[in-house]
Amino acid sequence: MKGKMKLFLMLLLACVLVLSACNNDSSGETDADGNWTGTITIWDGPRWAKEGDTSGEDGEGNKYFWLEEKIEEFEAAHEGVEIELVQVPWAEMPDKLGVNIAGQSWPDIAPVDISGSAVSIDHIEQGVVEPLNDFFTEDELRDFYDNALDAYTYNDKLYGIPNSLTVHSMLLNLDLFEEVGVEPPANGEWTWDEFVETAEKLTFDRDGDGEMDVYGFSTYIMPGYYEAWPFFYMNGAQPLSDDLSEFTFDSPEAIEAIQALADLKLEDGVAPVSMGGADVGGTFQAWASEEQRTVAMEPWATWAITSAQSAYPTNFMVANYPTGSTGEPITIGGVGGWTMFKQESDAKKEVVAEFMKFISDTDEQFLMAQEYGIFPARISAAEQDPYADNPEMARAQEMSSQVVMLPRHPEWKKIDEIIQRELQLVFNGEKTAEEAMATAKPEVEALLE
C-alpha cells in the first residue's frame, strides 16, 4: 500500500510540474537586476510570402518569414531570450486556443484574427489574457485609431495591441464580366436586385455541355468568419439587440436577407453547390486561381485584395455589398492584433510586451498594410499613405465609413457558433432561415441571461 501511495504522489507531482511548465509559472530566469531570460512562445497564422517564393508543399512560399525575421532581430538584441514560433492555420486558431486554455498550456502571445473583429471577452473573463495599460503611455495610445482601441478595451482595460483594420468588400473578377459582356456596377454601388440580375448573367455554360461552368456568386459559412454577414444586415437586421439582451436574427428583416442569400444557390442556381460550406481556400481559389476562376463575385476581407494583386494576379474591382431595404450600404469590419496570455513573472511580462510592441510599431504596420492587404491601426502608419499607388485598396478604405462591428458580448464565441451552425443548415437546404433562427433563438438567449 505504501508503495502504491508513493507512486501516486510521484505521479501527482509530475502532473503539477508539467502544468506549471505549460502555463508559464516557472519558465525562464530573472537575475538580480530584474533582467529576464528564457523562452517566449508566440502563435501566428500564415500571412504573406516573399515575391517569387514558391517553396512549401503548396508552392505558395513561406508565409511566416516576416515574423521569423522579426524574431531573429529581437533575439539578437536581447541576449538569453529565445522566441518559439508555432505555426497555426487561421481556421484552426480558435479551437486550438480553446483546447490549450482548457489544458492551461496557452502560448505567451497569440494573434487576434482580423476576421473576428475584436479580442475575446470570453478569454478576458476567464482571466487568461493580460491587460497591457502599464506598457503604454497616453501619447503612444493616441497614435491608435479609437475604433481599434475600442475593439481591444473591456472595462477600461486594454487587452492587446491592435495592428490592423479591415473591412469586408465585394471582389469582382472583371475577366468573367468581360467574357459574357456584363457591365460591373458603376462606382461599385448597386441594389440587391441589380446584384441578383448581375449574378444571373454571370452564370453560364462555358463549354456547351449543358452544365453550368461559371457561377455569379459564392461565399462560405463558418464560425468566426463574417464575409457573408453584411448581406444579412442589408435590411436593417442585427444578431443581438443594442443592449445585448435579446436575439434579433429572427426578425423579418434578418429572415428575408438570410433566405435571399441562400436562395442564390437553392432557388436561383447562380451559386455553386459548395456555397455555404466551410472550405475557405477552395472558395477563394474558385474566384482567384487562374486554373479555375469559376466564380465571378465573392466577398472577402481586404487581405484578399493584396493576394489578388500578387500571388493570384487577377483583373478585378472592389465594390460595395448591395443595398437592401434600408438603401444604405453596410459592411463588417475587423481589428487584428496581438494578445498576451497570463504570465506569472512580471519580469517576463515586460519582455513579452516589448516584443509585442516591436512587431506592432509604425513601420511594421505600414509594411503589413502594403503586403498583407489591411489598414494600419496606427495613425502614423496610415499617414505614410501605403495605398498611394493602390486604387483597389484605396476604394476599400472608403468603405470604412460603412463599417459596423460585431456584438461585444462575453459569450459571443458560443453565440456565433450557434448562429453559424444554423446558417450552414440553411445554405445546405436542410432548414429555412425562419426554422434555423427559431432553433438558434432559445440557445442564444440562454447565453444572454
Side-chain angles (χ1 to χ4, degrees):
M1 181 66 71
K2 289 183 178 179
K4 290 182 179 179
M5 180 59 72
K6 183 177 181 180
L7 177 60
F8 172 76
L9 291 173
M10 290 176 65
L11 289 172
L12 181 61
L13 177 61
C15 290
V16 170
L17 290 174
V18 168
L19 285 174
S20 177
C22 288
N23 68 13
N24 303 314
D25 284 353
S26 59
S27 59
E29 297 180 356
T30 305
D31 64 21
D33 295 325
N35 298 311
W36 179 88
T37 56
T39 300
I40 294 170
T41 302
I42 182 171
W43 291 6
D44 198 21
R47 296 189 184 269
W48 73 93
K50 290 181 179 179
E51 186 176 354
D53 183 0
T54 57
S55 63
E57 294 182 3
D58 58 7
E60 295 183 2
N62 175 15
K63 294 186 177 181
Y64 296 86
F65 83 95
W66 165 76
L67 188 53
E68 290 170 346
E69 291 181 356
K70 299 308 296 181
I71 287 171
E72 288 183 11
E73 289 180 36
F74 192 83
E75 289 177 340
H78 296 77
E79 185 177 355
V81 175
E82 295 184 2
I83 299 176
E84 177 188 3
L85 168 62
V86 178
Q87 301 179 4
V88 183
W90 289 112
E92 298 175 15
M93 190 74 69
D95 288 342
K96 185 175 176 66
L97 272 174
V99 169
N100 282 56
I101 288 170
Q104 301 186 54
S105 57
W106 49 78
D108 296 303
I109 306 169
V112 175
D113 187 347
I114 200 166
S115 296
S117 283
V119 68
S120 169
I121 294 178
D122 190 32
H123 292 167
I124 295 171
E125 295 202 330
Q126 290 178 43
V128 298
V129 180
E130 294 279 2
L132 301 180
N133 304 67
D134 292 343
F135 302 103
F136 285 91
T137 66
E138 288 300 317
D139 283 343
E140 288 176 319
L141 291 176
R142 275 192 285 271
D143 190 36
F144 291 89
Y145 287 106
D146 289 341
N147 60 345
L149 290 178
D150 287 346
Y152 284 67
T153 301
Y154 186 64
N155 289 339
D156 298 323
K157 290 184 179 181
L158 181 67
Y159 288 94
I161 303 178
N163 69 0
S164 52
L165 304 170
T166 190
V167 301
H168 294 88
S169 63
M170 292 291 299
L171 302 188
L172 316 184
N173 188 317
L174 296 180
D175 285 340
L176 293 178
F177 275 73
E178 292 171 6
E179 186 173 344
V180 288
V182 176
E183 287 294 323
N187 301 318
E189 299 175 0
W190 44 7
T191 65
W192 170 256
D193 289 341
E194 291 169 339
F195 165 74
V196 173
E197 182 181 355
T198 301
E200 290 171 346
K201 293 177 181 178
L202 291 165
T203 301
F204 61 95
D205 175 10
R206 176 181 278 150
D207 58 14
D209 65 355
E211 296 183 2
M212 295 300 175
D213 304 301
V214 178
Y215 291 91
F217 175 82
S218 191
T219 189
Y220 66 97
I221 302 288
M222 64 183 294
Y225 292 86
Y226 304 98
E227 278 83 353
W229 282 46
F231 286 99
F232 308 150
Y233 284 58
M234 68 181 181
N235 295 331
Q238 58 188 41
L240 303 180
S241 59
D242 289 338
D243 64 2
L244 306 181
S245 67
E246 296 181 59
F247 175 77
T248 53
F249 246 15
D250 62 339
S251 68
E253 295 81 5
I255 296 300
E256 181 184 8
I258 293 169
Q259 193 65 58
L261 191 68
D263 282 347
L264 292 179
K265 177 178 81 171
L266 302 175
E267 298 291 336
D268 304 327
V270 300
V273 68
S274 60
M275 183 179 111
D279 185 1
V280 181
T283 301
F284 183 69
Q285 294 283 337
W287 180 83
S289 173
E290 189 173 359
E291 290 74 29
Q292 296 186 41
R293 294 194 173 161
T294 56
V295 176
M297 305 182 291
E298 292 184 355
W300 288 101
T302 42
W303 66 264
I305 295 175
T306 296
S307 186
Q309 294 171 334
S310 54
Y312 296 91
T314 305
N315 177 25
F316 75 102
M317 69 173 285
V318 175
N320 292 343
Y321 283 79
T323 57
S325 60
T326 66
E328 296 292 332
I330 194 168
T331 188
I332 289 175
V335 184
W338 303 100
T339 54
M340 181 194 301
F341 281 79
K342 187 67 177 178
Q343 303 291 321
E344 298 301 327
S345 164
D346 289 340
K348 179 179 179 181
K349 192 186 301 184
E350 291 185 10
V351 181
V352 173
E354 184 180 352
F355 179 69
M356 291 171 68
K357 294 176 70 173
F358 177 68
I359 58 177
S360 305
D361 67 13
T362 296
D363 290 341
E364 297 310 319
Q365 292 201 15
F366 176 80
L367 175 66
M368 191 169 287
Q370 290 191 312
E371 300 292 343
Y372 195 44
I374 48 78
F375 308 128
R378 284 184 178 271
I379 297 170
S380 57
E383 287 176 343
Q384 294 183 20
D385 198 6
Y387 324 113
D389 301 317
N390 193 330
E392 289 81 16
M393 280 296 289
R395 175 66 179 86
Q397 189 173 24
E398 291 175 5
M399 296 174 62
S400 60
S401 62
Q402 306 168 14
V403 165
V404 297
M405 291 293 181
L406 295 165
R408 296 293 310 281
H409 194 280
E411 297 288 355
W412 177 251
K413 183 176 184 294
K414 295 177 182 177
I415 293 168
D416 176 60
E417 289 173 350
I418 293 167
I419 295 173
Q420 302 272 25
R421 179 199 71 206
E422 293 300 316
L423 288 173
Q424 287 180 337
L425 295 176
V426 176
F427 281 78
N428 286 342
E430 298 176 50
K431 289 184 177 182
T432 65
E434 186 174 7
E435 292 168 341
M437 294 304 103
T439 300
K441 186 180 182 72
E443 294 184 52
V444 171
E445 293 200 333
L447 295 170
L448 301 179
E449 294 177 354

